[in-house]
Amino acid sequence: MSGLKCEFELLEAFVLVILWIILTVLTLGLGAFVMPYYLAKAPINKTYVIDSAGQKIGRLYVDFSLAQIIVHALIWLLLSFVTFGIAYIVYWFAVYRKLLNAAVVEPVGATHLPAE
């Protein structure tokens, strides 16, 4: 049976979370609006499409630029201020939706596909 296989390690997640906690403190909380993108993007980019024999045939890749992240994050930052932080909860789901819609499957061994 074909499917998906994620090879994102627990240690990678731990280091990523620690890094973003430090960045969030250093940026006085503004890093918290960019953090969801990088926390969600990391496991997606380490996910492979496998065939029925268990061989990797493709890899999920999210090509989402920092400029796109900042524009989306600024909108949600304003919404979070207006709603006293309640919108930040919904923001995480909006981030996942954006990243999954931007994900493409590239063949194993290929470099990143050019943006269309």
Side-chain angles (χ1 to χ4, degrees):
M1 179 190 329
S2 62
L4 300 174
K5 181 180 181 187
C6 183
E7 294 183 353
F8 190 64
E9 299 287 330
L10 186 58
L11 182 61
E12 291 175 273
F14 181 73
V15 170
L16 195 61
V17 168
I18 296 299
L19 173 71
W20 277 103
I21 288 172
I22 292 168
L23 286 173
T24 299
V25 170
L26 290 176
T27 61
L28 303 175
L30 293 177
F33 283 89
V34 178
M35 175 182 57
Y37 281 96
Y38 290 96
L39 292 183
K41 204 168 120 168
I44 293 172
N45 284 342
K46 290 270 192 143
T47 301
Y48 293 89
V49 179
I50 55 172
D51 63 10
S52 57
Q55 300 296 316
K56 296 177 187 176
I57 57 173
R59 181 177 78 95
L60 292 180
Y61 176 71
V62 178
D63 188 17
F64 212 73
S65 71
L66 183 60
Q68 292 171 302
I69 291 171
I70 290 172
V71 169
H72 191 245
L74 284 175
I75 293 168
W76 282 93
L77 176 68
L78 294 173
L79 285 171
S80 292
F81 281 137
V82 170
T83 62
F84 301 105
I86 295 172
Y88 187 71
I89 298 166
V90 178
Y91 172 62
W92 280 78
F93 294 100
V95 166
Y96 279 103
R97 188 191 66 144
K98 283 270 193 199
L99 291 177
L100 288 174
N101 285 336
V104 295
V105 177
E106 62 182 19
V108 171
T111 58
H112 304 306
L113 296 173
E116 294 179 15

